[in-house]
Amino acid sequence: MVPIKTNMQKIIFCDTDKNVPSRFGIVKIASQPQTAVQSKSTWKKDEDFETKFCTGAHGYGFLLSADKIRKWFQSLSDRALPALKDSFPRSTFRFQQHDPARNLLVTKDGKELNIDIVPAIVCENIFLVAKQCTSQINLPNEATWRLSLSTSERDFFKEMKRVLPYNSCHLKCLQIIKYLRENDYRLYPSSQFTHGLRSYYLKTALFHLVMKSFPQAWASNCLEQRIREMIDYLIASLGEERIPHIFLGNKQHLKNLQWHLGVPVRFFHHTEANLLEYISKTTMEQARLRLIEIKNNLDGILRQHLH
């Protein structure tokens, strides 16, 4: 994450403004004389900061534009390439865009390293990243910044390692399900399990299952049971068209301080964030049916992948 400092007045979320979509926030910019000074000293341009990096919204004034910041950051990173090449002449560098990240690919001695560099606004121990909402809303889409709780999610894995039994199967379970998702198109080219569901949904499913089960359920000899349970969870979630975010709007966390992991309590009181909100019903149904096939023939499908 690359924190961006700006003349921010406040950040607005769905708990105080129903126009802001869940899982997103908007950044209101204070319109004061120092913004013009900042424009010249920080951005090295004579242009007005609000004109270059903000968008107007009736009743809100100037809102920081995720789209404009993303494009500016993309240009800035591209201009850094010559300096990188001069500093590390035995390595090659190139950027590619993986919204909201600018992905830096470093190659040296035939080995490649991928680094995601993400422009972000810091807010109460969480991040707002420059990825805008694409659904129909009552605000300029470009003004919406997606909430990211990646540091708390990382801490969740650390806490799972501490709480679950030694040699727990939780990571193996996630790795196998991810492998099935990433490679299902090889067995079924039109698979919506591969093409329609993100890997992030699988990680979220694991989070929910760990929170509601006893630690001993994740002992190493329970791997097959947990794989099948995770597939069942995904099938049921697709049928309900709902996978709750692990933190945002998840009031279950309010019952157990152990799983707060630095997330401010106000975010658990948000409107429940549904990860499947913007996925088409057809995609969800096709993915659900494919997962039922996988569940009913799990041993055979695993053998096919191993050959």
Side-chain angles (χ1 to χ4, degrees):
M1 296 289 183
V2 180
I4 295 172
K5 293 183 178 180
T6 186
N7 191 30
M8 179 175 63
Q9 186 181 63
K10 64 178 177 179
I11 299 178
I12 304 169
F13 299 105
C14 64
D15 58 338
T16 59
D17 189 330
K18 64 180 182 181
N19 289 324
V20 180
S22 65
R23 298 171 61 202
F24 290 86
I26 57 174
V27 183
K28 184 174 173 59
I29 297 296
S31 184
Q32 297 175 2
Q34 61 260 39
T35 57
V37 176
Q38 186 186 50
S39 173
K40 292 178 182 178
S41 61
T42 303
W43 313 106
K44 309 297 183 185
K45 298 286 185 182
D46 293 330
E47 297 170 78
D48 183 74
F49 178 83
E50 286 94 342
T51 301
K52 186 174 182 185
F53 295 106
C54 300
T55 184
H58 181 68
Y60 295 88
F62 288 109
L63 299 176
L64 191 65
S65 168
D67 185 53
K68 291 177 181 177
I69 289 292
R70 179 185 59 80
K71 290 174 180 175
W72 163 77
F73 191 79
Q74 180 177 338
S75 173
L76 192 68
S77 56
D78 286 342
R79 294 203 303 271
L81 278 176
L84 287 171
K85 292 172 182 176
D86 289 343
S87 300
F88 305 95
R90 296 181 59 188
S91 301
T92 61
F93 301 88
R94 62 187 177 94
F95 280 108
Q96 58 186 20
Q97 192 67 28
H98 285 167
D99 286 341
R102 192 73 172 138
N103 182 244
L104 175 63
L105 290 90
V106 185
T107 305
K108 183 179 181 181
D109 300 328
K111 297 180 181 178
E112 189 172 81
L113 175 67
N114 291 296
I115 305 169
D116 280 342
I117 307 172
V118 187
I121 304 291
V122 181
C123 173
E124 300 183 65
N125 203 38
I126 66 166
F127 296 98
L128 290 162
V129 298
K131 186 174 179 65
Q132 62 204 69
C133 179
T134 56
S135 63
Q136 197 79 19
I137 57 175
N138 294 323
L139 286 165
N141 290 77
E142 67 172 288
T144 52
W145 291 68
R146 194 180 70 190
L147 277 158
S148 171
L149 293 99
S150 55
T151 54
S152 296
E153 290 166 4
R154 178 198 62 205
D155 292 342
F156 203 120
F157 271 103
K158 292 180 181 178
E159 186 67 9
M160 279 196 282
K161 186 176 181 181
R162 189 186 71 79
V163 170
L164 298 180
Y166 173 74
N167 203 24
S168 163
C169 68
H170 69 287
L171 286 181
K172 287 182 181 176
C173 177
L174 180 60
Q175 288 164 353
I176 289 170
I177 299 288
K178 279 187 171 183
Y179 182 87
L180 289 173
R181 185 197 75 86
E182 290 164 5
N183 293 278
D184 193 47
Y185 75 96
R186 299 179 187 276
L187 305 180
Y188 191 72
S190 63
S191 170
Q192 291 305 309
F193 180 34
T194 293
H195 303 298
L197 298 187
R198 292 174 50 205
S199 177
Y200 182 73
Y201 304 159
L202 310 185
K203 183 169 70 171
T204 301
L206 177 70
F207 286 167
H208 287 304
L209 291 174
V210 167
M211 282 191 65
K212 75 175 188 179
S213 59
F214 293 107
Q216 202 57 38
W218 297 90
S220 58
N221 62 343
C222 298
L223 178 59
E224 183 178 350
Q225 292 169 269
R226 298 290 76 79
I227 290 172
R228 291 185 179 277
E229 182 183 35
M230 196 161 161
I231 293 173
D232 281 337
Y233 176 89
L234 292 168
I235 290 169
S237 297
L238 289 164
E240 296 169 2
E241 301 176 3
R242 171 181 169 269
I243 295 179
H245 191 280
I246 189 59
F247 295 116
L248 297 173
N250 189 344
K251 294 178 177 57
Q252 290 297 317
H253 282 287
L254 298 173
K255 302 175 184 177
N256 192 336
L257 290 173
Q258 174 185 13
W259 299 111
H260 278 201
L261 302 172
V263 177
V265 170
R266 66 174 289 194
F267 291 102
F268 301 126
H269 288 287
H270 276 207
T271 303
E272 182 183 87
N274 176 14
L275 300 185
L276 302 181
E277 183 178 2
Y278 304 118
I279 298 182
S280 74
K281 293 181 183 293
T282 300
T283 295
M284 285 189 282
E285 180 61 12
Q286 289 179 358
R288 188 183 73 85
L289 293 174
R290 179 56 185 160
L291 277 164
I292 291 173
E293 289 181 38
I294 291 172
K295 173 191 171 182
N296 291 339
N297 190 29
L298 183 60
D299 292 342
I301 286 174
L302 287 172
R303 282 196 297 270
Q304 282 181 274
H305 283 300
L306 290 173
H307 284 90

Coordinates of all heavy atoms in Angstrom, one line a residue, residues 248-297:
L248 N -16.8 -6.3 7.2 CA -17.7 -5.2 7.0 C -19.2 -5.6 7.2 O -19.7 -6.5 6.5 CB -17.5 -4.6 5.6 CG -16.2 -3.9 5.3 CD1 -16.1 -3.5 3.9 CD2 -15.9 -2.7 6.2
G249 N -19.8 -5.1 8.2 CA -21.2 -5.4 8.5 C -21.4 -6.8 9.1 O -22.5 -7.2 9.3
N250 N -20.3 -7.4 9.5 CA -20.4 -8.7 10.1 C -20.5 -8.6 11.7 O -19.5 -8.5 12.4 CB -19.2 -9.6 9.7 CG -19.3 -11.0 10.2 OD1 -20.2 -11.4 11.0 ND2 -18.5 -11.9 9.6
K251 N -21.7 -8.6 12.2 CA -21.9 -8.4 13.6 C -21.5 -9.5 14.5 O -21.4 -9.4 15.7 CB -23.4 -8.0 13.8 CG -23.8 -6.6 13.2 CD -25.2 -6.3 13.4 CE -25.5 -4.9 12.8 NZ -25.1 -4.8 11.3
Q252 N -21.2 -10.7 13.8 CA -20.7 -11.8 14.6 C -19.4 -11.5 15.3 O -19.2 -12.0 16.4 CB -20.5 -13.0 13.7 CG -21.8 -13.7 13.1 CD -22.7 -14.2 14.2 OE1 -22.2 -14.9 15.1 NE2 -24.0 -14.0 14.1
H253 N -18.7 -10.6 14.7 CA -17.4 -10.2 15.3 C -17.6 -9.5 16.6 O -16.7 -9.5 17.5 CB -16.6 -9.3 14.4 CG -15.9 -10.1 13.3 ND1 -14.8 -10.9 13.5 CD2 -16.2 -10.2 12.0 CE1 -14.4 -11.4 12.3 NE2 -15.2 -11.0 11.4
L254 N -18.7 -8.8 16.8 CA -19.0 -8.1 18.0 C -19.0 -9.0 19.2 O -18.8 -8.5 20.4 CB -20.2 -7.3 17.9 CG -20.2 -6.2 16.8 CD1 -21.6 -5.6 16.6 CD2 -19.2 -5.1 17.0
K255 N -19.3 -10.3 19.0 CA -19.4 -11.2 20.1 C -18.1 -11.8 20.6 O -18.0 -12.4 21.6 CB -20.3 -12.4 19.7 CG -21.7 -12.0 19.3 CD -22.5 -13.2 18.7 CE -23.8 -12.8 18.2 NZ -24.6 -14.0 17.6
N256 N -17.0 -11.5 19.8 CA -15.7 -12.1 20.1 C -14.6 -11.1 19.8 O -14.2 -11.0 18.6 CB -15.5 -13.4 19.3 CG -14.4 -14.3 19.8 OD1 -13.4 -13.7 20.4 ND2 -14.4 -15.5 19.5
L257 N -14.1 -10.5 20.8 CA -13.0 -9.5 20.6 C -11.8 -10.1 20.0 O -11.0 -9.4 19.3 CB -12.6 -8.9 22.0 CG -13.7 -8.0 22.6 CD1 -13.3 -7.6 24.0 CD2 -13.9 -6.7 21.8
Q258 N -11.6 -11.4 20.1 CA -10.4 -12.0 19.6 C -10.3 -11.8 18.1 O -9.1 -11.7 17.6 CB -10.5 -13.5 19.9 CG -9.4 -14.4 19.2 CD -9.6 -15.9 19.4 OE1 -10.7 -16.3 19.8 NE2 -8.6 -16.6 19.2
W259 N -11.4 -11.7 17.4 CA -11.4 -11.6 15.9 C -11.5 -10.2 15.4 O -11.7 -9.9 14.2 CB -12.4 -12.5 15.3 CG -12.3 -13.9 15.6 CD1 -13.1 -14.7 16.4 CD2 -11.2 -14.8 15.2 NE1 -12.6 -16.0 16.5 CE2 -11.4 -16.1 15.7 CE3 -10.1 -14.6 14.3 CZ2 -10.6 -17.2 15.5 CZ3 -9.3 -15.7 14.1 CH2 -9.5 -17.0 14.7
H260 N -11.4 -9.2 16.3 CA -11.5 -7.8 15.8 C -10.3 -7.4 15.0 O -10.4 -6.7 14.0 CB -11.6 -6.8 17.0 CG -13.0 -6.7 17.5 ND1 -13.5 -5.7 18.3 CD2 -14.1 -7.5 17.4 CE1 -14.8 -5.8 18.6 NE2 -15.2 -7.0 18.1
L261 N -9.1 -7.8 15.5 CA -7.9 -7.7 14.7 C -7.6 -6.2 14.2 O -7.2 -6.0 13.1 CB -7.9 -8.7 13.6 CG -8.0 -10.1 14.0 CD1 -8.2 -11.0 12.8 CD2 -6.8 -10.6 14.8
G262 N -7.9 -5.3 15.0 CA -7.6 -3.9 14.7 C -8.6 -3.2 13.9 O -8.5 -2.0 13.5
V263 N -9.7 -3.9 13.5 CA -10.7 -3.2 12.7 C -11.6 -2.4 13.6 O -12.1 -2.9 14.6 CB -11.6 -4.3 11.9 CG1 -12.7 -3.6 11.2 CG2 -10.8 -5.1 11.0
P264 N -11.8 -1.1 13.4 CA -12.6 -0.3 14.2 C -14.1 -0.8 14.3 O -14.6 -1.3 13.3 CB -12.6 1.1 13.5 CG -11.3 1.1 12.7 CD -11.2 -0.3 12.3
V265 N -14.6 -0.8 15.5 CA -15.9 -1.4 15.8 C -17.0 -0.8 14.8 O -17.9 -1.6 14.4 CB -16.4 -1.2 17.2 CG1 -17.8 -1.6 17.5 CG2 -15.4 -2.0 18.2
R266 N -16.9 0.4 14.4 CA -17.9 1.0 13.6 C -18.1 0.3 12.3 O -19.2 0.2 11.8 CB -17.6 2.5 13.3 CG -16.3 2.7 12.4 CD -16.1 4.1 12.0 NE -17.1 4.6 11.0 CZ -17.0 5.7 10.3 NH1 -16.0 6.5 10.5 NH2 -17.9 6.1 9.5
F267 N -17.1 -0.4 11.8 CA -17.2 -1.1 10.5 C -18.0 -2.4 10.6 O -18.6 -2.9 9.7 CB -15.8 -1.3 9.9 CG -15.2 -0.1 9.4 CD1 -14.2 0.5 10.2 CD2 -15.5 0.5 8.3 CE1 -13.6 1.7 9.8 CE2 -15.0 1.7 7.8 CZ -14.0 2.3 8.6
F268 N -18.1 -3.0 11.8 CA -18.9 -4.1 12.0 C -20.4 -3.7 12.1 O -21.3 -4.6 11.9 CB -18.5 -4.8 13.3 CG -17.1 -5.3 13.4 CD1 -16.3 -5.0 14.4 CD2 -16.6 -6.1 12.4 CE1 -15.0 -5.4 14.5 CE2 -15.3 -6.6 12.4 CZ -14.5 -6.2 13.5
H269 N -20.7 -2.5 12.3 CA -22.0 -2.0 12.3 C -22.5 -1.5 11.0 O -23.7 -1.0 10.8 CB -22.2 -0.8 13.4 CG -22.1 -1.3 14.8 ND1 -23.1 -2.0 15.4 CD2 -21.1 -1.2 15.7 CE1 -22.8 -2.3 16.7 NE2 -21.6 -1.8 16.9
H270 N -21.6 -1.5 10.0 CA -22.1 -1.1 8.6 C -23.2 -2.0 8.1 O -23.4 -3.1 8.6 CB -20.9 -1.2 7.7 CG -20.0 0.0 7.7 ND1 -19.2 0.4 6.6 CD2 -19.8 0.9 8.6 CE1 -18.6 1.5 6.9 NE2 -18.9 1.9 8.1
T271 N -23.8 -1.6 7.0 CA -24.7 -2.5 6.3 C -23.9 -3.7 5.8 O -22.8 -3.6 5.4 CB -25.2 -1.7 5.0 OG1 -25.9 -0.5 5.4 CG2 -26.2 -2.6 4.3
E272 N -24.5 -4.9 6.0 CA -23.8 -6.1 5.6 C -23.3 -6.0 4.2 O -24.1 -5.7 3.3 CB -24.7 -7.3 5.8 CG -23.9 -8.6 5.5 CD -24.8 -9.8 5.6 OE1 -25.4 -10.2 4.5 OE2 -24.8 -10.4 6.6
A273 N -22.0 -6.3 4.0 CA -21.4 -6.2 2.7 C -21.5 -7.6 2.1 O -20.9 -8.6 2.6 CB -20.0 -5.7 2.7
N274 N -22.2 -7.8 0.9 CA -22.3 -9.1 0.3 C -21.4 -9.1 -0.9 O -21.5 -8.3 -1.9 CB -23.8 -9.2 -0.2 CG -24.0 -10.5 -1.0 OD1 -23.2 -11.4 -1.0 ND2 -25.1 -10.5 -1.7
L275 N -20.4 -10.0 -0.9 CA -19.4 -10.1 -1.9 C -20.0 -10.5 -3.3 O -19.4 -10.3 -4.3 CB -18.3 -11.1 -1.5 CG -17.5 -10.9 -0.2 CD1 -16.4 -11.9 -0.1 CD2 -17.0 -9.5 -0.2
L276 N -21.2 -11.2 -3.3 CA -21.8 -11.6 -4.5 C -22.8 -10.6 -5.1 O -23.5 -10.9 -6.1 CB -22.5 -12.9 -4.3 CG -21.7 -14.1 -3.8 CD1 -22.5 -15.4 -3.7 CD2 -20.5 -14.4 -4.7
E277 N -22.8 -9.4 -4.5 CA -23.8 -8.4 -4.8 C -23.9 -8.1 -6.3 O -24.9 -7.9 -6.9 CB -23.6 -7.1 -4.0 CG -24.6 -6.0 -4.2 CD -24.3 -4.8 -3.4 OE1 -23.3 -4.8 -2.6 OE2 -25.1 -3.9 -3.4
Y278 N -22.7 -8.0 -6.9 CA -22.6 -7.6 -8.3 C -22.4 -8.7 -9.3 O -22.1 -8.4 -10.5 CB -21.5 -6.5 -8.5 CG -21.7 -5.3 -7.5 CD1 -20.7 -5.1 -6.5 CD2 -22.8 -4.5 -7.6 CE1 -20.9 -4.0 -5.7 CE2 -23.0 -3.5 -6.7 CZ -22.0 -3.2 -5.7 OH -22.2 -2.2 -4.9
I279 N -22.6 -9.9 -8.9 CA -22.4 -11.1 -9.8 C -23.8 -11.5 -10.4 O -24.8 -11.5 -9.6 CB -21.7 -12.3 -9.1 CG1 -20.3 -11.9 -8.6 CG2 -21.6 -13.5 -10.0 CD1 -19.6 -13.0 -7.9
S280 N -23.8 -11.8 -11.6 CA -25.1 -12.1 -12.3 C -25.7 -13.4 -11.7 O -24.9 -14.3 -11.3 CB -24.9 -12.2 -13.8 OG -24.3 -13.4 -14.1
K281 N -27.0 -13.5 -11.7 CA -27.6 -14.7 -11.2 C -27.2 -16.0 -12.1 O -27.1 -17.1 -11.5 CB -29.1 -14.5 -11.2 CG -29.7 -13.5 -10.3 CD -31.2 -13.4 -10.3 CE -31.7 -12.3 -9.4 NZ -31.5 -12.6 -8.0
T282 N -27.1 -15.7 -13.4 CA -26.7 -16.9 -14.3 C -25.3 -17.4 -13.9 O -25.1 -18.6 -13.8 CB -26.7 -16.4 -15.7 OG1 -28.0 -15.9 -16.1 CG2 -26.3 -17.5 -16.7
T283 N -24.4 -16.5 -13.6 CA -23.0 -16.9 -13.3 C -23.0 -17.7 -12.0 O -22.4 -18.7 -11.8 CB -22.1 -15.7 -13.1 OG1 -22.0 -15.1 -14.4 CG2 -20.7 -16.1 -12.6
M284 N -23.8 -17.2 -11.0 CA -23.9 -17.9 -9.7 C -24.5 -19.2 -9.8 O -24.0 -20.2 -9.2 CB -24.6 -17.0 -8.7 CG -23.9 -15.8 -8.2 SD -24.7 -14.9 -6.8 CE -25.9 -14.0 -7.7
E285 N -25.5 -19.3 -10.6 CA -26.2 -20.6 -10.7 C -25.3 -21.6 -11.5 O -25.2 -22.8 -11.1 CB -27.5 -20.5 -11.5 CG -28.3 -21.8 -11.7 CD -28.7 -22.5 -10.4 OE1 -28.6 -21.9 -9.3 OE2 -29.1 -23.6 -10.5
Q286 N -24.6 -21.2 -12.5 CA -23.7 -22.1 -13.2 C -22.6 -22.5 -12.3 O -22.2 -23.7 -12.4 CB -23.2 -21.4 -14.5 CG -24.3 -21.3 -15.6 CD -23.8 -20.6 -16.8 OE1 -22.6 -20.2 -16.9 NE2 -24.7 -20.4 -17.8
A287 N -22.0 -21.6 -11.5 CA -20.9 -22.0 -10.6 C -21.4 -23.0 -9.6 O -20.7 -23.9 -9.2 CB -20.4 -20.7 -10.0
R288 N -22.7 -22.7 -9.1 CA -23.2 -23.6 -8.0 C -23.4 -25.0 -8.6 O -23.0 -26.0 -7.9 CB -24.6 -23.1 -7.6 CG -25.2 -23.8 -6.4 CD -26.6 -23.3 -6.1 NE -27.6 -23.7 -7.1 CZ -28.2 -24.8 -7.0 NH1 -28.0 -25.7 -6.1 NH2 -29.1 -25.1 -8.0
L289 N -23.9 -25.1 -9.8 CA -24.1 -26.5 -10.4 C -22.8 -27.2 -10.6 O -22.7 -28.4 -10.4 CB -24.9 -26.3 -11.7 CG -26.4 -25.9 -11.6 CD1 -27.0 -25.6 -12.9 CD2 -27.2 -26.9 -10.8
R290 N -21.8 -26.4 -11.1 CA -20.5 -27.0 -11.3 C -19.9 -27.5 -10.0 O -19.3 -28.6 -9.9 CB -19.6 -26.0 -12.0 CG -18.2 -26.5 -12.2 CD -18.1 -27.8 -13.0 NE -16.8 -28.4 -13.2 CZ -16.5 -29.6 -13.5 NH1 -17.5 -30.5 -13.8 NH2 -15.3 -30.0 -13.6
L291 N -20.1 -26.7 -8.9 CA -19.6 -27.2 -7.6 C -20.3 -28.4 -7.1 O -19.7 -29.3 -6.4 CB -19.7 -26.0 -6.6 CG -18.6 -25.0 -6.6 CD1 -19.0 -23.7 -5.9 CD2 -17.3 -25.6 -6.0
I292 N -21.6 -28.6 -7.4 CA -22.3 -29.8 -7.0 C -21.7 -31.0 -7.8 O -21.5 -32.1 -7.2 CB -23.8 -29.6 -7.3 CG1 -24.4 -28.6 -6.4 CG2 -24.5 -31.0 -7.2 CD1 -25.9 -28.3 -6.7
E293 N -21.3 -30.8 -9.0 CA -20.7 -31.9 -9.8 C -19.3 -32.2 -9.2 O -19.0 -33.4 -9.1 CB -20.5 -31.4 -11.3 CG -21.7 -31.4 -12.1 CD -21.4 -30.9 -13.5 OE1 -20.4 -31.4 -14.1 OE2 -22.1 -30.2 -14.1
I294 N -18.6 -31.2 -8.8 CA -17.3 -31.5 -8.2 C -17.4 -32.2 -6.9 O -16.7 -33.2 -6.6 CB -16.5 -30.1 -8.0 CG1 -16.1 -29.5 -9.4 CG2 -15.3 -30.3 -7.1 CD1 -15.6 -28.1 -9.3
K295 N -18.4 -31.8 -6.1 CA -18.6 -32.4 -4.8 C -19.0 -33.9 -5.0 O -18.5 -34.8 -4.2 CB -19.7 -31.7 -4.0 CG -20.2 -32.4 -2.8 CD -21.5 -31.8 -2.2 CE -22.0 -32.6 -1.1 NZ -23.3 -32.1 -0.5
N296 N -19.9 -34.2 -5.9 CA -20.3 -35.6 -6.1 C -19.3 -36.5 -6.8 O -19.4 -37.7 -6.7 CB -21.6 -35.5 -7.0 CG -22.8 -34.9 -6.3 OD1 -22.8 -34.9 -5.1 ND2 -23.7 -34.5 -7.1
N297 N -18.2 -35.9 -7.3 CA -17.2 -36.7 -8.0 C -15.8 -36.2 -7.6 O -14.9 -36.1 -8.4 CB -17.3 -36.6 -9.5 CG -16.4 -37.6 -10.2 OD1 -16.1 -38.7 -9.6 ND2 -16.0 -37.3 -11.4

